[in-house]
Amino acid sequence: MKKAVVIGAGIAGLITARMLADYYEEVCVIERDEFPSEPNNRQGVPQSFHPHRVQPRGALIMEHYFPGYNDELIALGAISSHDEKLIVTNRYGTLVNKEDPSSLKIASCSRALLEWVLRKRIQNIPHISFLTSMEVTGLIVSEDQHTVTGIYTRERSGEKREDQLPTDMVIDASGRSSKLIRWLDKLGLNVPEPEVLKVSLGYSTRYYNIKSSIPNAWVMSDSDPEQGIRAGIFTRIEDDIVGLILFNAGGDEYPSTQPEEFQEQIKHLFASDKIVKLMEQLEPLQGPRGYRISESVRQHFELMEDWPSGLLVLGDAFCSFDPIHGQGITVAAIEI
């Protein structure tokens, strides 16, 4: 029986598992976390609290593997891009652009809801299974080290039992926390130096309840260097909730995670009176939460002459993008 193992049950891992289901008789997804019973953020996805966006190419690929998933998201309260306006604002004025109704429909929702909908689809496929609260500790290879034949695993709770899982294919989709370099080093394989871009990137996000009717809009603000903030994005997600993210790249200053400072930075950045009035119709759900990235990394595994067969890597484990551009999910889908 042909078996494949996917490391990581994030969105990249879920799309990968769905694709492999067409070619393997058994697919096993290994995840460090336990899954929430409802759409909630997971500890193993530290950036899941912040807004995510699927680009058109990614949406086409995901629609192929998960037909109707956008309609399902919208039925659960997400906002269709057909109902959105794009508003770009800075100190010089505001530009409003209505989305083309003939363009691809893409739901605006939280990362937690998107992952939950895809995971529920996967759980309904009989020959895909999940091992949760489990971590991979290494690779099992053939005697000549040319082929990966399995993985070593360890429980993260309880007896923390260690085990071996034989497989014909291993795909690492475990994201920025991937341990693949360490596993290859243990096998005595030479791993090329990665390409590293120092980015000093940080953003802070706060969510709000909508107190009264506001337009379905995706608002972007240009930079305000004098205030140390480079950009801001305001977007609606499901359940009449708005996410507001402040972003900065370069230097040592990051958007604040203190509620009062965060609100002041919003006022400076979103200079339009219309946007300020719109903000007054929102009620904070909780304090801002930050996420910091010091570098983006692109591995060069393709340069290895002794790369073992039966092993693939994709998503952030292979190349971690600047997340502010919302390319990560789409690029992972393209790699699949």
Side-chain angles (χ1 to χ4, degrees):
M1 176 181 289
K2 284 279 190 178
K3 180 175 183 177
V5 166
V6 179
I7 305 172
I11 293 175
L14 294 173
I15 305 173
T16 302
R18 172 59 191 87
M19 179 274 294
L20 291 172
D22 292 340
Y23 302 95
Y24 286 81
E25 296 166 276
E26 185 178 352
V27 179
C28 180
V29 183
I30 299 182
E31 171 54 47
R32 290 167 51 88
D33 289 343
E34 290 289 347
F35 294 136
S37 58
E38 296 180 348
N40 285 316
N41 297 311
R42 295 191 289 113
Q43 184 178 358
V45 189
Q47 78 277 27
S48 67
F49 178 84
H50 305 277
H52 285 65
R53 193 81 172 184
V54 179
Q55 304 296 338
R57 177 73 181 277
L60 283 170
I61 296 169
M62 291 167 65
E63 186 67 29
H64 171 76
Y65 288 113
F66 302 93
Y69 86 98
N70 257 303
D71 291 331
E72 187 173 349
L73 289 168
I74 293 167
L76 291 170
I79 305 298
S80 170
S81 58
H82 286 185
D83 300 324
E84 281 186 325
K85 292 180 181 178
L86 173 62
I87 301 174
V88 181
T89 182
N90 58 30
R91 67 181 71 183
Y92 304 108
T94 299
L95 175 67
V96 179
N97 178 40
K98 182 70 174 66
E99 292 284 344
D100 179 2
S102 65
S103 63
L104 182 68
K105 178 169 58 179
I106 301 175
S108 177
C109 67
S110 65
R111 159 72 183 251
L113 181 62
L114 175 60
E115 187 175 296
W116 188 79
V117 164
L118 299 185
R119 186 170 65 245
K120 288 298 180 183
R121 294 281 193 101
I122 292 291
Q123 289 172 329
N124 287 329
I125 300 176
H127 59 292
I128 299 181
S129 61
F130 288 87
L131 287 177
T132 57
S133 194
M134 185 79 68
E135 61 183 346
V136 178
T137 59
L139 302 172
I140 303 172
V141 295
S142 59
E143 289 187 11
D144 59 10
Q145 293 193 331
H146 291 167
T147 305
V148 171
T149 60
I151 55 173
Y152 295 103
T153 64
R154 181 172 59 213
E155 294 176 342
R156 299 192 70 212
S157 59
E159 299 178 359
K160 296 191 175 181
R161 183 178 56 194
E162 297 184 354
D163 205 348
Q164 299 180 22
L165 183 63
T167 185
D168 301 289
M169 171 65 73
V170 174
I171 296 186
D172 182 9
S174 58
R176 291 175 181 262
S177 62
S178 170
K179 303 298 188 295
L180 183 59
I181 304 286
R182 184 186 306 173
W183 303 336
L184 294 173
D185 285 341
K186 283 185 178 179
L187 296 175
L189 301 177
N190 279 324
V191 179
E193 287 295 319
E195 187 175 344
V196 178
L197 175 66
K198 299 294 183 181
V199 292
S200 186
L201 180 154
Y203 47 92
S204 297
T205 300
R206 193 176 197 184
Y207 287 97
Y208 303 78
N209 274 322
I210 299 171
K211 293 193 295 185
S212 57
S213 178
I214 66 171
N216 292 334
W218 198 46
V219 184
M220 299 181 64
S221 174
D222 287 345
S223 64
D224 189 349
E226 294 177 3
Q227 298 298 324
I229 305 296
R230 300 298 177 91
I233 299 174
F234 164 101
T235 181
R236 290 188 64 163
I237 59 172
E238 69 273 8
D239 298 328
D240 288 327
I241 294 174
V242 163
L244 203 155
I245 179 171
L246 298 181
F247 161 76
N248 195 18
D252 298 323
E253 294 186 13
Y254 296 117
S256 178
T257 55
Q258 300 301 314
E260 292 183 2
E261 292 180 1
F262 186 87
Q263 292 302 116
E264 284 301 311
Q265 289 173 341
I266 290 172
K267 292 178 182 178
H268 285 296
L269 186 63
F270 291 91
S272 165
D273 290 340
K274 292 181 180 179
I275 305 301
V276 172
K277 289 180 180 179
L278 187 150
M279 300 299 172
E280 293 173 353
Q281 300 179 55
L282 307 177
E283 179 181 26
L285 281 172
Q286 78 293 303
R289 192 179 301 179
Y291 188 66
R292 312 292 182 244
I293 298 172
S294 60
E295 58 188 28
S296 292
V297 180
R298 199 279 197 192
Q299 301 292 342
H300 283 286
F301 299 129
E302 75 280 3
L303 300 178
M304 293 177 59
E305 295 182 0
D306 49 1
W307 181 266
S309 64
L311 174 65
L312 293 173
V313 56
L314 55 79
D316 281 355
F318 173 62
C319 181
S320 57
F321 285 79
D322 174 346
I324 200 66
H325 298 293
Q327 298 172 326
I329 294 173
T330 295
V331 171
I334 292 171
E335 290 171 350
I336 291 164

